[in-house]
Amino acid sequence: NAGVTQTPKFQVLKTGQSMTLQCAQDMNHEYMSWYRQDPGMGLRLIHYSVGAGITDQGEVPNGYNVSRSTTEDFPLRLLSAAPSQTSVYFCASSYGFGSQQPQHFGDGTRLSIL
Amino acid sequence: AQRVTQPEKLLSVFKGAPVELKCNYSYSGSPELFWYVQYSRQRLQLLLRHISRESIKGFTADLNKGETSFHLKKPFAQEEDSAMYYCALSEGNNRLAFGKGNQVVVIP
């Protein structure tokens, strides 16, 4: 199993551009989520999904859209990139949610917005 | 409001010295707490969960509901313990709240 795969690993965008960060998992996990990691801020939850067709907002959802058309994929879309969205983005998945379900993380996508 | 507090950003310890990373949480329900670790050039991964009451790589963490704490401890630090450590709280609503993290540097 590849686990959680994120693409691309690095990306540079200009302000106003759009792009999609891809996340795929091959573990048949129901729960998937996106975090951003910023220095001094830790990891903050952007959006999450408890199953195909179901998504919800996390702590910092503004400027980001998600969809979950399949169990395997959970893309994160930036519709109009802003410099404040410069960050490292992590996707995570688990069978369910709670103390028995550790989160499996991807390698991250380092995104710079100029 | 910060639900998980890790007060020290950077902790430098000598090899063989004890390590303690503090984590305090704010949650009115029954908390589920975790420690995650990110080694250099590796993925963030689960280190400990309070429900397991286990010792992993020499680390232990005890949930203290009275003090709302879940401090991570290791009696003798090793160089391979140098990493970023995050305390995390499951809030029971399918959300995992992370603290700001502790960068641990073990000095040989």
Tab-separated table of all heavy atoms in Angstrom, chain A residues 2 4 31 35 37 40-43 45 48 50 57-59 90 97-103 105-107, chain B residues 3 9 32 34 36 38 42-46 49-51 86 90-96 98-101:
chain	number	residue	atom	x	y	z
A	2	ALA	N	0.455	2.241	-0.794
A	2	ALA	CA	1.197	3.488	-0.826
A	2	ALA	C	0.838	4.366	0.353
A	2	ALA	O	1.569	5.280	0.689
A	2	ALA	CB	0.919	4.226	-2.127
A	4	VAL	N	-1.032	7.364	2.046
A	4	VAL	CA	-1.608	8.636	1.622
A	4	VAL	C	-0.616	9.308	0.682
A	4	VAL	O	0.535	9.529	1.059
A	4	VAL	CB	-1.899	9.554	2.821
A	4	VAL	CG1	-2.439	10.890	2.341
A	4	VAL	CG2	-2.859	8.882	3.786
A	31	TYR	N	-12.481	8.459	6.619
A	31	TYR	CA	-12.211	9.822	7.086
A	31	TYR	C	-10.970	10.374	6.401
A	31	TYR	O	-9.925	9.728	6.370
A	31	TYR	CB	-12.004	9.816	8.606
A	31	TYR	CG	-11.808	11.185	9.202
A	31	TYR	CD1	-12.887	11.947	9.635
A	31	TYR	CD2	-10.532	11.725	9.355
A	31	TYR	CE1	-12.714	13.206	10.192
A	31	TYR	CE2	-10.342	12.975	9.909
A	31	TYR	CZ	-11.438	13.711	10.318
A	31	TYR	OH	-11.264	14.954	10.863
A	35	TYR	N	-4.927	19.719	6.381
A	35	TYR	CA	-4.379	20.646	7.355
A	35	TYR	C	-3.383	21.563	6.641
A	35	TYR	O	-2.780	21.183	5.651
A	35	TYR	CB	-3.620	19.909	8.460
A	35	TYR	CG	-4.470	19.048	9.351
A	35	TYR	CD1	-4.747	17.725	9.018
A	35	TYR	CD2	-4.984	19.547	10.546
A	35	TYR	CE1	-5.519	16.934	9.849
A	35	TYR	CE2	-5.753	18.745	11.379
A	35	TYR	CZ	-6.014	17.451	11.015
A	35	TYR	OH	-6.779	16.660	11.832
A	37	GLN	N	0.140	23.724	7.753
A	37	GLN	CA	1.146	23.822	8.809
A	37	GLN	C	1.933	25.098	8.596
A	37	GLN	O	2.595	25.273	7.567
A	37	GLN	CB	2.088	22.613	8.763
A	37	GLN	CG	3.122	22.587	9.860
A	37	GLN	CD	4.114	21.433	9.679
A	37	GLN	OE1	4.575	21.172	8.574
A	37	GLN	NE2	4.434	20.752	10.756
A	40	GLY	N	4.952	28.316	14.045
A	40	GLY	CA	4.360	28.911	15.240
A	40	GLY	C	2.864	28.731	15.369
A	40	GLY	O	2.268	29.188	16.349
A	41	MET	N	2.259	28.070	14.377
A	41	MET	CA	0.795	27.896	14.406
A	41	MET	C	0.398	26.435	14.516
A	41	MET	O	-0.772	26.124	14.726
A	41	MET	CB	0.180	28.491	13.137
A	41	MET	CG	0.439	29.971	12.945
A	41	MET	SD	-0.332	30.956	14.230
A	41	MET	CE	-2.041	30.781	13.813
A	42	GLY	N	1.326	25.536	14.344
A	42	GLY	CA	0.985	24.121	14.380
A	42	GLY	C	0.211	23.709	13.154
A	42	GLY	O	0.320	24.323	12.087
A	43	LEU	N	-0.604	22.675	13.279
A	43	LEU	CA	-1.458	22.217	12.193
A	43	LEU	C	-2.877	22.706	12.440
A	43	LEU	O	-3.412	22.537	13.539
A	43	LEU	CB	-1.475	20.690	12.123
A	43	LEU	CG	-0.337	20.031	11.356
A	43	LEU	CD1	0.908	19.963	12.215
A	43	LEU	CD2	-0.723	18.642	10.903
A	45	LEU	N	-6.839	22.614	10.909
A	45	LEU	CA	-7.747	21.856	10.057
A	45	LEU	C	-8.459	22.784	9.084
A	45	LEU	O	-9.077	23.764	9.489
A	45	LEU	CB	-8.760	21.106	10.933
A	45	LEU	CG	-9.773	20.219	10.232
A	45	LEU	CD1	-9.075	19.051	9.529
A	45	LEU	CD2	-10.787	19.693	11.240
A	48	TYR	N	-12.655	18.629	6.176
A	48	TYR	CA	-12.577	17.194	6.385
A	48	TYR	C	-13.794	16.515	5.784
A	48	TYR	O	-14.788	17.173	5.428
A	48	TYR	CB	-12.433	16.863	7.871
A	48	TYR	CG	-13.616	17.241	8.733
A	48	TYR	CD1	-14.593	16.305	9.054
A	48	TYR	CD2	-13.731	18.526	9.263
A	48	TYR	CE1	-15.664	16.645	9.863
A	48	TYR	CE2	-14.799	18.873	10.066
A	48	TYR	CZ	-15.760	17.934	10.371
A	48	TYR	OH	-16.818	18.267	11.169
A	50	VAL	N	-16.112	12.715	6.170
A	50	VAL	CA	-16.327	11.462	6.890
A	50	VAL	C	-16.762	10.345	5.955
A	50	VAL	O	-17.057	9.238	6.400
A	50	VAL	CB	-17.353	11.635	8.029
A	50	VAL	CG1	-16.836	12.637	9.045
A	50	VAL	CG2	-18.706	12.066	7.488
A	57	GLN	N	-16.480	21.894	7.095
A	57	GLN	CA	-15.426	22.872	7.315
A	57	GLN	C	-14.687	22.605	8.606
A	57	GLN	O	-15.254	22.157	9.593
A	57	GLN	CB	-16.041	24.274	7.354
A	57	GLN	CG	-16.665	24.705	6.052
A	57	GLN	CD	-17.218	26.112	6.123
A	57	GLN	OE1	-17.326	26.694	7.197
A	57	GLN	NE2	-17.567	26.672	4.986
A	58	GLY	N	-13.408	22.938	8.562
A	58	GLY	CA	-12.596	22.869	9.762
A	58	GLY	C	-12.405	24.243	10.366
A	58	GLY	O	-13.290	25.090	10.309
A	59	GLU	N	-11.233	24.454	10.895
A	59	GLU	CA	-10.926	25.689	11.612
A	59	GLU	C	-10.658	26.876	10.681
A	59	GLU	O	-11.026	28.009	10.981
A	59	GLU	CB	-9.699	25.440	12.492
A	59	GLU	CG	-9.292	26.579	13.385
A	59	GLU	CD	-8.029	26.242	14.175
A	59	GLU	OE1	-7.548	25.085	14.090
A	59	GLU	OE2	-7.515	27.136	14.876
A	90	PHE	N	-0.990	19.340	4.485
A	90	PHE	CA	-0.971	17.910	4.753
A	90	PHE	C	-2.371	17.331	4.626
A	90	PHE	O	-3.341	17.898	5.119
A	90	PHE	CB	-0.451	17.622	6.169
A	90	PHE	CG	1.014	17.847	6.331
A	90	PHE	CD1	1.487	19.021	6.888
A	90	PHE	CD2	1.927	16.889	5.925
A	90	PHE	CE1	2.847	19.244	7.042
A	90	PHE	CE2	3.289	17.095	6.064
A	90	PHE	CZ	3.747	18.275	6.623
A	97	PHE	N	-12.957	7.794	13.141
A	97	PHE	CA	-12.424	8.914	13.900
A	97	PHE	C	-12.502	8.592	15.374
A	97	PHE	O	-13.455	7.998	15.838
A	97	PHE	CB	-13.212	10.193	13.593
A	97	PHE	CG	-12.507	11.422	14.053
A	97	PHE	CD1	-11.505	11.977	13.291
A	97	PHE	CD2	-12.820	11.998	15.273
A	97	PHE	CE1	-10.829	13.097	13.719
A	97	PHE	CE2	-12.144	13.114	15.712
A	97	PHE	CZ	-11.153	13.669	14.935
A	98	GLY	N	-11.457	8.984	16.098
A	98	GLY	CA	-11.449	8.741	17.530
A	98	GLY	C	-10.148	8.109	17.973
A	98	GLY	O	-9.204	7.959	17.197
A	99	SER	N	-10.111	7.710	19.225
A	99	SER	CA	-8.846	7.285	19.815
A	99	SER	C	-8.328	5.975	19.230
A	99	SER	O	-7.153	5.668	19.349
A	99	SER	CB	-9.002	7.148	21.326
A	99	SER	OG	-10.027	6.208	21.616
A	100	GLN	N	-9.198	5.191	18.631
A	100	GLN	CA	-8.750	3.928	18.056
A	100	GLN	C	-8.286	4.089	16.613
A	100	GLN	O	-7.865	3.123	15.990
A	100	GLN	CB	-9.883	2.901	18.113
A	100	GLN	CG	-10.375	2.617	19.524
A	100	GLN	CD	-9.278	2.080	20.417
A	100	GLN	OE1	-8.397	1.342	19.994
A	100	GLN	NE2	-9.295	2.482	21.678
A	101	GLN	N	-8.403	5.276	16.079
A	101	GLN	CA	-8.144	5.489	14.663
A	101	GLN	C	-7.057	6.519	14.452
A	101	GLN	O	-7.344	7.704	14.293
A	101	GLN	CB	-9.448	5.935	13.961
A	101	GLN	CG	-10.635	5.046	14.221
A	101	GLN	CD	-10.436	3.638	13.684
A	101	GLN	OE1	-9.592	3.405	12.831
A	101	GLN	NE2	-11.206	2.696	14.188
A	102	PRO	N	-5.796	6.127	14.469
A	102	PRO	CA	-4.742	7.114	14.226
A	102	PRO	C	-4.817	7.665	12.820
A	102	PRO	O	-5.211	6.982	11.887
A	102	PRO	CB	-3.465	6.300	14.429
A	102	PRO	CG	-3.857	4.888	14.171
A	102	PRO	CD	-5.267	4.763	14.647
A	103	GLN	N	-4.444	8.923	12.706
A	103	GLN	CA	-4.423	9.561	11.402
A	103	GLN	C	-3.153	9.171	10.650
A	103	GLN	O	-2.066	9.143	11.220
A	103	GLN	CB	-4.446	11.088	11.576
A	103	GLN	CG	-5.707	11.600	12.258
A	103	GLN	CD	-6.930	11.406	11.396
A	103	GLN	OE1	-6.990	11.828	10.254
A	103	GLN	NE2	-7.931	10.738	11.947
A	105	PHE	N	-0.768	10.343	7.654
A	105	PHE	CA	-0.483	11.586	6.941
A	105	PHE	C	0.285	11.327	5.656
A	105	PHE	O	1.069	10.374	5.548
A	105	PHE	CB	0.324	12.530	7.835
A	105	PHE	CG	-0.499	13.201	8.890
A	105	PHE	CD1	-0.752	12.577	10.102
A	105	PHE	CD2	-1.024	14.473	8.678
A	105	PHE	CE1	-1.523	13.192	11.082
A	105	PHE	CE2	-1.793	15.097	9.655
A	105	PHE	CZ	-2.036	14.448	10.852
A	106	GLY	N	0.081	12.242	4.699
A	106	GLY	CA	0.896	12.259	3.499
A	106	GLY	C	2.198	13.012	3.742
A	106	GLY	O	2.445	13.510	4.844
A	107	ASP	N	3.003	13.118	2.691
A	107	ASP	CA	4.302	13.784	2.807
A	107	ASP	C	4.190	15.301	2.813
A	107	ASP	O	5.144	15.989	3.140
A	107	ASP	CB	5.209	13.361	1.662
A	107	ASP	CG	5.729	11.951	1.832
A	107	ASP	OD1	5.904	11.533	2.990
A	107	ASP	OD2	5.957	11.267	0.818
B	3	ARG	N	-7.298	25.293	22.000
B	3	ARG	CA	-7.806	24.161	22.744
B	3	ARG	C	-6.686	23.261	23.236
B	3	ARG	O	-6.866	22.471	24.147
B	3	ARG	CB	-8.798	23.393	21.886
B	3	ARG	CG	-9.966	24.296	21.461
B	3	ARG	CD	-10.980	23.620	20.586
B	3	ARG	NE	-10.517	23.137	19.308
B	3	ARG	CZ	-10.247	23.880	18.243
B	3	ARG	NH1	-10.317	25.181	18.328
B	3	ARG	NH2	-9.884	23.329	17.100
B	9	LYS	N	8.202	26.364	22.406
B	9	LYS	CA	8.377	26.091	20.980
B	9	LYS	C	9.583	25.216	20.741
B	9	LYS	O	9.558	24.312	19.915
B	9	LYS	CB	8.553	27.411	20.225
B	9	LYS	CG	7.297	28.224	20.071
B	9	LYS	CD	7.557	29.435	19.203
B	9	LYS	CE	6.318	30.294	19.078
B	9	LYS	NZ	6.583	31.492	18.239
B	32	GLU	N	-9.934	12.793	24.240
B	32	GLU	CA	-9.082	11.772	23.656
B	32	GLU	C	-7.836	12.489	23.156
B	32	GLU	O	-7.930	13.392	22.330
B	32	GLU	CB	-9.795	11.067	22.505
B	32	GLU	CG	-11.015	10.269	22.965
B	32	GLU	CD	-11.732	9.576	21.834
B	32	GLU	OE1	-11.462	9.924	20.669
B	32	GLU	OE2	-12.584	8.715	22.110
B	34	PHE	N	-3.596	12.631	21.966
B	34	PHE	CA	-2.566	11.961	21.194
B	34	PHE	C	-1.293	12.797	21.207
B	34	PHE	O	-1.334	14.016	21.379
B	34	PHE	CB	-2.988	11.815	19.715
B	34	PHE	CG	-4.337	11.207	19.506
B	34	PHE	CD1	-5.485	11.971	19.597
B	34	PHE	CD2	-4.463	9.865	19.202
B	34	PHE	CE1	-6.745	11.418	19.397
B	34	PHE	CE2	-5.716	9.302	18.998
B	34	PHE	CZ	-6.845	10.075	19.092
B	36	TYR	N	1.710	13.249	18.324
B	36	TYR	CA	2.218	12.932	16.998
B	36	TYR	C	3.639	13.460	16.899
B	36	TYR	O	4.004	14.457	17.533
B	36	TYR	CB	1.358	13.581	15.906
B	36	TYR	CG	0.089	12.823	15.599
B	36	TYR	CD1	-1.044	12.970	16.393
B	36	TYR	CD2	0.023	11.954	14.519
B	36	TYR	CE1	-2.209	12.270	16.126
B	36	TYR	CE2	-1.143	11.246	14.230
B	36	TYR	CZ	-2.254	11.412	15.044
B	36	TYR	OH	-3.401	10.716	14.774
B	38	GLN	N	7.021	14.269	14.106
B	38	GLN	CA	7.497	14.429	12.732
B	38	GLN	C	9.015	14.501	12.759
B	38	GLN	O	9.593	15.521	13.162
B	38	GLN	CB	6.902	15.678	12.092
B	38	GLN	CG	7.203	15.811	10.612
B	38	GLN	CD	6.494	17.005	9.995
B	38	GLN	OE1	6.180	17.980	10.671
B	38	GLN	NE2	6.232	16.938	8.699
B	42	GLN	N	10.462	13.092	7.283
B	42	GLN	CA	9.504	11.998	7.375
B	42	GLN	C	8.099	12.548	7.576
B	42	GLN	O	7.908	13.711	7.875
B	42	GLN	CB	9.862	11.053	8.521
B	42	GLN	CG	11.148	10.286	8.316
B	42	GLN	CD	11.357	9.233	9.372
B	42	GLN	OE1	10.394	8.708	9.941
B	42	GLN	NE2	12.605	8.914	9.654
B	43	ARG	N	7.147	11.666	7.406
B	43	ARG	CA	5.754	12.047	7.589
B	43	ARG	C	5.414	12.195	9.062
B	43	ARG	O	6.016	11.561	9.918
B	43	ARG	CB	4.833	10.982	6.991
B	43	ARG	CG	5.012	10.763	5.526
B	43	ARG	CD	4.046	9.729	5.003
B	43	ARG	NE	4.211	9.575	3.553
B	43	ARG	CZ	3.369	8.921	2.768
B	43	ARG	NH1	2.297	8.351	3.287
B	43	ARG	NH2	3.602	8.832	1.469
B	44	LEU	N	4.430	13.024	9.308
B	44	LEU	CA	3.868	13.111	10.647
B	44	LEU	C	3.248	11.753	10.985
B	44	LEU	O	2.538	11.167	10.181
B	44	LEU	CB	2.799	14.198	10.665
B	44	LEU	CG	2.284	14.675	12.006
B	44	LEU	CD1	3.381	15.373	12.792
B	44	LEU	CD2	1.116	15.624	11.814
B	45	GLN	N	3.534	11.262	12.169
B	45	GLN	CA	3.041	9.930	12.534
B	45	GLN	C	2.636	9.897	13.999
B	45	GLN	O	3.144	10.665	14.819
B	45	GLN	CB	4.115	8.866	12.273
B	45	GLN	CG	5.416	9.114	13.001
B	45	GLN	CD	6.511	8.154	12.576
B	45	GLN	OE1	6.522	6.999	12.968
B	45	GLN	NE2	7.429	8.649	11.751
B	46	LEU	N	1.740	8.991	14.313
B	46	LEU	CA	1.273	8.849	15.680
B	46	LEU	C	2.377	8.285	16.560
B	46	LEU	O	3.031	7.303	16.213
B	46	LEU	CB	0.056	7.923	15.716
B	46	LEU	CG	-0.513	7.645	17.095
B	46	LEU	CD1	-1.166	8.892	17.678
B	46	LEU	CD2	-1.513	6.492	17.030
B	49	ARG	N	-1.170	7.426	22.158
B	49	ARG	CA	-2.545	7.847	22.421
B	49	ARG	C	-2.869	7.497	23.868
B	49	ARG	O	-2.436	6.452	24.359
B	49	ARG	CB	-3.545	7.188	21.479
B	49	ARG	CG	-3.305	5.729	21.238
B	49	ARG	CD	-4.153	5.201	20.122
B	49	ARG	NE	-3.606	3.975	19.585
B	49	ARG	CZ	-4.126	3.302	18.580
B	49	ARG	NH1	-5.227	3.738	17.989
B	49	ARG	NH2	-3.568	2.210	18.135
B	50	HIS	N	-3.606	8.347	24.520
B	50	HIS	CA	-3.758	8.188	25.963
B	50	HIS	C	-4.507	6.917	26.306
B	50	HIS	O	-4.253	6.306	27.337
B	50	HIS	CB	-4.472	9.405	26.559
B	50	HIS	CG	-5.966	9.293	26.587
B	50	HIS	ND1	-6.762	9.711	25.546
B	50	HIS	CD2	-6.795	8.798	27.533
B	50	HIS	CE1	-8.020	9.491	25.850
B	50	HIS	NE2	-8.077	8.941	27.050
B	51	ILE	N	-5.384	6.491	25.434
B	51	ILE	CA	-6.220	5.353	25.750
B	51	ILE	C	-5.402	4.065	25.816
B	51	ILE	O	-5.779	3.106	26.485
B	51	ILE	CB	-7.370	5.231	24.730
B	51	ILE	CG1	-8.484	4.352	25.282
B	51	ILE	CG2	-6.869	4.738	23.394
B	51	ILE	CD1	-9.752	4.412	24.473
B	86	TYR	N	3.817	17.102	18.301
B	86	TYR	CA	2.527	17.788	18.382
B	86	TYR	C	1.597	17.029	19.322
B	86	TYR	O	1.419	15.813	19.186
B	86	TYR	CB	1.851	17.863	17.021
B	86	TYR	CG	2.515	18.766	16.028
B	86	TYR	CD1	3.390	18.260	15.074
B	86	TYR	CD2	2.255	20.135	16.021
B	86	TYR	CE1	4.000	19.087	14.147
B	86	TYR	CE2	2.850	20.976	15.095
B	86	TYR	CZ	3.722	20.438	14.167
B	86	TYR	OH	4.318	21.271	13.254
B	90	SER	N	-8.814	15.070	20.266
B	90	SER	CA	-10.006	14.719	19.494
B	90	SER	C	-11.210	15.250	20.231
B	90	SER	O	-11.438	14.917	21.394
B	90	SER	CB	-10.112	13.201	19.345
B	90	SER	OG	-11.359	12.859	18.772
B	91	GLU	N	-11.971	16.095	19.538
B	91	GLU	CA	-13.064	16.786	20.205
B	91	GLU	C	-14.400	16.082	20.041
B	91	GLU	O	-15.431	16.636	20.394
B	91	GLU	CB	-13.144	18.218	19.685
B	91	GLU	CG	-11.871	19.013	19.947
B	91	GLU	CD	-11.908	20.394	19.327
B	91	GLU	OE1	-12.051	20.490	18.103
B	91	GLU	OE2	-11.758	21.365	20.087
B	92	GLY	N	-14.383	14.894	19.477
B	92	GLY	CA	-15.614	14.120	19.383
B	92	GLY	C	-16.546	14.554	18.281
B	92	GLY	O	-17.659	14.070	18.182
B	93	ASN	N	-16.136	15.489	17.471
B	93	ASN	CA	-16.967	15.948	16.360
B	93	ASN	C	-16.233	15.751	15.043
B	93	ASN	O	-16.376	16.551	14.117
B	93	ASN	CB	-17.346	17.410	16.552
B	93	ASN	CG	-16.136	18.326	16.673
B	93	ASN	OD1	-15.014	17.844	16.768
B	93	ASN	ND2	-16.371	19.617	16.675
B	94	ASN	N	-15.469	14.692	14.980
B	94	ASN	CA	-14.669	14.402	13.803
B	94	ASN	C	-13.588	15.443	13.548
B	94	ASN	O	-13.152	15.602	12.417
B	94	ASN	CB	-15.545	14.252	12.554
B	94	ASN	CG	-16.476	13.067	12.651
B	94	ASN	OD1	-16.069	12.004	13.101
B	94	ASN	ND2	-17.718	13.253	12.273
B	95	ARG	N	-13.205	16.152	14.558
B	95	ARG	CA	-12.147	17.146	14.417
B	95	ARG	C	-11.005	16.812	15.359
B	95	ARG	O	-11.221	16.406	16.502
B	95	ARG	CB	-12.653	18.535	14.753
B	95	ARG	CG	-13.703	19.066	13.807
B	95	ARG	CD	-14.008	20.498	14.112
B	95	ARG	NE	-14.994	21.041	13.211
B	95	ARG	CZ	-15.142	22.341	12.993
B	95	ARG	NH1	-14.368	23.207	13.607
B	95	ARG	NH2	-16.068	22.764	12.164
B	96	LEU	N	-9.793	17.013	14.844
B	96	LEU	CA	-8.585	16.809	15.632
B	96	LEU	C	-7.901	18.163	15.739
B	96	LEU	O	-7.537	18.758	14.728
B	96	LEU	CB	-7.690	15.790	14.940
B	96	LEU	CG	-6.550	15.156	15.727
B	96	LEU	CD1	-7.087	14.393	16.923
B	96	LEU	CD2	-5.762	14.227	14.825
B	98	PHE	N	-4.752	20.364	16.941
B	98	PHE	CA	-3.341	20.231	17.254
B	98	PHE	C	-2.835	21.447	18.023
B	98	PHE	O	-3.306	22.566	17.834
B	98	PHE	CB	-2.515	20.109	15.969
B	98	PHE	CG	-2.591	18.762	15.317
B	98	PHE	CD1	-3.635	18.457	14.454
B	98	PHE	CD2	-1.616	17.807	15.548
B	98	PHE	CE1	-3.713	17.217	13.842
B	98	PHE	CE2	-1.682	16.566	14.942
B	98	PHE	CZ	-2.732	16.276	14.095
B	99	GLY	N	-1.849	21.193	18.856
B	99	GLY	CA	-1.116	22.294	19.459
B	99	GLY	C	-0.124	22.863	18.457
B	99	GLY	O	-0.023	22.389	17.323
B	100	LYS	N	0.616	23.886	18.886
B	100	LYS	CA	1.536	24.548	17.971
B	100	LYS	C	2.836	23.784	17.762
B	100	LYS	O	3.630	24.135	16.899
B	100	LYS	CB	1.813	25.966	18.467
B	100	LYS	CG	0.576	26.848	18.425
B	100	LYS	CD	0.885	28.274	18.840
B	100	LYS	CE	-0.380	29.134	18.744
B	100	LYS	NZ	-0.105	30.549	19.106
B	101	GLY	N	3.043	22.779	18.563
B	101	GLY	CA	4.204	21.936	18.362
B	101	GLY	C	5.412	22.315	19.200
B	101	GLY	O	5.562	23.463	19.633
